[in-house]
Amino acid sequence: MQHIEEEQISAFIDSQLSDEEMLAVKSHLRICSGCRTVLEEMNAVTRLFQESERVAPSPFLWNRISADLNKKDPARGWVAAILESLHPYRRGLSAAAAALTLILSVGITYLYQSSRQVAERAALAAIDQTYKSLAAQDPDAYNPFTSGSLEDHENPFSSFLSGGRTAQGN
Amino acid sequence: MEARNGSQDAFRAIYECYGARIHNFLYRLLGSKSEAEDATQQTFLIALHRLGTLRDPNLLESWIYRIARNEVYQKFRRKEIDSLDDDGLKPFAEKAKDTRLHGEPEKALLNEELGEALQSALNSLPLKMREVFILAVIDEMSYQEISGIVGRSLLSVKTDIYRARMMAKEKLSRYTVMNRKIAAP
């Protein structure tokens, strides 16, 4: 005969099995003396603890708790009072704080990118201005088509300058 | 609601409702009346301060038990508890003395000895097994409630209660045999 697992018997004693499991255990216990012995031994230990004295606290324990509850931390003072008064609105405040954070993040990102674009445009304009002023002083030196700063084979316009030859020299 | 608004009367009502059970749970867990009182005091201070954070009032008892249990683990971590103090056995000794004075010496001796044996059996259990065993057998909580308090699976709770029962059975076999002899016709 297959016995019930002792762990099941333990849970049976605590009435912590499903209705189906309870019925199955009860049926088995009717016909199995071995499992009944295990049940009786576990029950005996359980009864010892359940019938043991409950140890009550001192009658003055509430006075000590109450005294401690009434103590206020002076360092917290007005800050604690404000936080406590806001406590009922914590959910609304949390949502508002999250929305504000999002708006600020988007705003700061937009401003940052805008300022970068402005800075880039300013830098390009400054380069352009510098180039124009240098070109005005020495047009040949700053003419990309005629200046000697590029070797012929590097100059994409060399074929025009040399009468129809391609840049590859063919 | 009144308690959440800081009403002292409401706080006291919560303490009177759950204080004795929590104290007994802590006493069985710690094995010392003085430690249990300290832990009970700390538990209710924390619980009453944080009452506003409890979302479901129906879970108040489990919530307080969880705070109490955490307080014990904190004490162990801070090494505030080493072993069973002698005064942990005093409640039983005191009760036994009263019984002796009223002319029941044998019963008194048995009560005293049994009380010591019960607490000694509990103290011999690892803390994880001890807490679930006390909650199931002495506090008669469901495994589901216990699982929520200790933060472990139902299966783990069920297994540890069984193992604790078997270990306690070994330690207390002398008393269970006596019980069965008394119970038999």
Side-chain angles (χ1 to χ4, degrees):
Chain A
M1 182 193 296
Q2 197 163 2
H3 296 291
I4 308 169
E5 279 184 22
E6 292 187 356
E7 197 170 304
Q8 281 294 80
I9 297 177
S10 172
F12 172 80
I13 290 170
D14 296 330
S15 304
Q16 294 300 305
L17 297 177
S18 65
D19 292 344
E20 215 174 271
E21 286 169 325
M22 292 290 274
L23 272 171
V25 169
K26 279 181 186 170
S27 303
H28 179 83
L29 288 171
R30 272 196 278 272
I31 57 172
C32 179
S33 58
C35 287
R36 273 203 306 275
T37 304
V38 171
L39 174 71
E40 279 165 17
E41 288 171 351
M42 285 196 196
N43 253 336
V45 172
T46 303
R47 268 198 305 272
L48 283 176
F49 282 102
Q50 284 177 343
E51 290 166 7
S52 65
E53 286 291 325
R54 298 299 192 254
V55 180
S58 152
F60 306 107
L61 183 55
W62 169 250
N63 294 346
R64 298 207 299 267
I65 294 171
S66 178
D68 276 349
L69 276 175
N70 289 330
K71 274 184 199 165
K72 284 191 168 88
D73 182 351
R76 290 182 59 210
W78 61 270
V79 173
I82 290 171
L83 289 175
E84 280 171 25
S85 67
L86 291 175
H87 188 70
Y89 311 106
R90 64 190 182 283
R91 285 206 180 119
L93 285 173
S94 298
L100 188 62
T101 304
L102 184 63
I103 291 167
L104 282 172
S105 301
V106 169
I108 288 168
T109 305
Y110 175 75
L111 285 171
Y112 174 70
Q113 285 180 345
S114 297
S115 67
R116 272 190 67 186
Q117 286 170 0
V118 165
E120 281 171 5
R121 280 200 287 271
L124 285 171
I127 291 168
D128 195 41
Q129 190 57 42
T130 304
Y131 187 85
K132 280 180 181 168
S133 68
L134 289 171
Q137 290 167 26
D138 189 350
D140 287 334
Y142 288 92
N143 188 334
F145 301 103
T146 61
S147 74
S149 59
L150 291 174
E151 297 292 335
D152 278 349
H153 69 272
E154 293 173 333
N155 191 338
F157 303 101
S158 60
S159 63
F160 293 101
L161 299 170
S162 59
R165 280 184 295 138
T166 62
Q168 281 76 30
N170 294 327
Chain B
M1 190 63 186
E2 277 182 45
R4 286 191 192 188
N5 291 338
S7 157
Q8 280 280 333
D9 288 342
F11 285 168
R12 178 146 197 179
I14 290 173
Y15 171 76
E16 285 180 357
C17 196
Y18 302 111
R21 272 168 69 84
I22 293 290
H23 181 269
N24 192 63
F25 166 66
L26 288 167
Y27 170 74
R28 290 301 182 188
L29 210 50
L30 296 165
S32 158
K33 195 170 185 213
S34 58
E35 296 283 0
E37 287 223 346
D38 281 346
T40 305
Q41 181 176 347
Q42 196 57 25
T43 297
F44 277 91
L45 272 175
I46 294 169
L48 297 176
H49 269 304
R50 291 188 194 165
L51 209 50
T53 66
L54 178 63
R55 292 182 186 189
D56 183 356
N58 294 323
L59 299 176
L60 178 59
E61 187 180 21
S62 301
W63 185 69
I64 296 175
Y65 265 98
R66 205 174 319 140
I67 294 171
R69 173 200 179 255
N70 287 346
E71 187 54 27
V72 170
Y73 275 84
Q74 291 284 345
K75 277 181 173 285
F76 274 109
R77 277 192 209 108
R78 292 192 297 255
K79 297 196 194 306
E80 286 175 14
I81 303 164
D82 294 320
S83 60
L84 176 67
D85 291 340
D86 282 342
D87 74 346
L89 305 173
K90 273 186 192 157
F92 296 103
E94 290 297 325
K95 179 85 181 171
K97 206 188 296 177
D98 288 341
T99 316
R100 260 186 288 219
L101 287 173
H102 290 94
E104 299 179 17
E106 285 174 14
K107 189 175 176 184
L109 275 171
L110 191 60
N111 279 344
E112 189 175 344
E113 194 183 310
L114 178 58
E116 288 175 17
L118 287 177
Q119 192 57 48
S120 177
L122 283 175
N123 290 347
S124 69
L125 300 173
L127 188 59
K128 278 178 60 178
M129 280 191 208
R130 198 185 317 164
E131 61 181 355
V132 295
F133 181 73
I134 293 168
L135 289 171
V137 173
I138 299 178
D139 289 345
E140 296 182 74
M141 287 193 174
S142 71
Y143 289 5
Q144 191 69 47
E145 282 175 302
I146 296 170
S147 167
I149 289 167
V150 303
R152 286 153 51 194
S153 71
L154 218 55
L155 187 60
S156 168
V157 164
K158 183 183 175 188
T159 302
D160 274 353
I161 290 170
Y162 159 67
R163 286 178 185 160
R165 211 174 225 125
M166 297 309 283
M167 287 173 70
K169 189 187 80 152
E170 288 302 313
K171 294 273 180 185
L172 298 167
S173 54
R174 179 170 157 242
Y175 300 96
T176 55
V177 167
M178 282 168 62
N179 260 0
R180 287 214 296 273
K181 280 183 179 167
I182 292 166

